[in-house]
Structures are given as C-alpha cells and as structure tokens.
C-alpha cells in the first residue's frame, strides 16, 4: 500500500501527503505544532476537501519514525477491516458524476 520511505517525517512537516489504495484514499497532515500528524481516510472518488466530514475517519500519531510506522499499520488495518467499503468505492468511482 504505502512505503514509509515515501512519507519521510521531515517532509511531512513541510507539506501534506495523499494517496489512494483500491478505493481508500488517505491524507497525511502535520498538526499545527508539528509534533504530531493526523492521517485521514475516506472513500474514492473525491478529494479530501470535497469529501463530507462524515465520510472521513482520522487518527493522530507522534511526528516520529515510530509514529509513521504506527500510521501505516493503522492504514493497513483500516483497509482490511473495511475492505468491502473500499472495494465498492473503487468500483463505483468511474460512475460518479
């Protein structure tokens, strides 16, 4: 899904990072104090800004390499736990106007 080297902690302090995996979109965002970051997940096809808040889930992590490991583990777990939801979003994404 995502390789930790693609989202270095120091890079995340400077700008957000987003991606998608089979219908599950994710958005990494450093919190204001830059000591923690939040990871948001939401279904395809819309951008983070265009997705209603009620369709988003999030979790916060410390701005450390260990925090990044935990964030990626959380993403993997959320994908597996809700695989049907993500697959449905993936299949429907080209049919949404």
């Amino acid at each position: 899904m995502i390789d930790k080297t693609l989202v270095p902690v120091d890079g995340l302090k400077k700008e957000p990072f987003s991606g998608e995996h089979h219908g599950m979109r994710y958005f990494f965002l450093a919190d204001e104090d830059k000591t923690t970051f939040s990871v948001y997940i939401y279904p395809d096809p819309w951008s983070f800004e265009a997705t209603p808040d009620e369709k988003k889930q999030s979790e916060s992590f410390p701005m450390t390499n260990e925090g990044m490991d935990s964030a990626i583990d959380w993403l993997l777990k959320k994908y597996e736990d809700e695989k049907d939801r993500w697959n449905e979003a993936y299949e429907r994404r080209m049919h949404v106007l």
Side-chain angles (χ1 to χ4, degrees):
M1 173 189 291
I2 184 172
D3 183 336
K4 181 173 103 170
T5 60
L6 297 175
V7 193
V9 170
D10 289 336
L12 189 55
K13 289 179 182 178
K14 297 175 185 170
E15 62 184 79
F17 178 82
S18 63
E20 184 269 344
H21 182 75
H22 295 285
M24 183 180 83
R25 299 191 60 77
Y26 49 86
F27 184 71
F28 286 66
L29 180 65
D31 297 331
E32 195 171 307
D33 63 6
K34 306 287 189 208
T35 62
T36 59
F37 66 95
S38 295
V39 179
Y40 298 84
I41 57 173
Y42 53 98
D44 265 342
W46 309 115
S47 68
F48 180 76
E49 295 80 11
T51 301
D53 287 342
E54 63 269 10
K55 292 189 175 191
K56 297 175 187 174
Q57 297 175 47
S58 67
E59 190 71 36
S60 293
F61 302 92
M63 186 71 81
T64 62
N65 286 326
E66 293 79 14
M68 187 60 69
D69 289 339
S70 295
I72 292 169
D73 289 344
W74 181 77
L75 280 176
L76 292 169
K77 181 175 181 351
K78 295 306 283 185
Y79 177 75
E80 288 300 323
D81 287 352
E82 298 182 54
K83 194 179 252 185
D84 290 342
R85 175 186 182 201
W86 309 124
N87 286 334
E88 180 180 326
Y90 183 76
E91 290 171 9
R92 290 183 30 184
R93 71 182 176 171
M94 297 307 287
H95 302 287
V96 176
L97 297 176

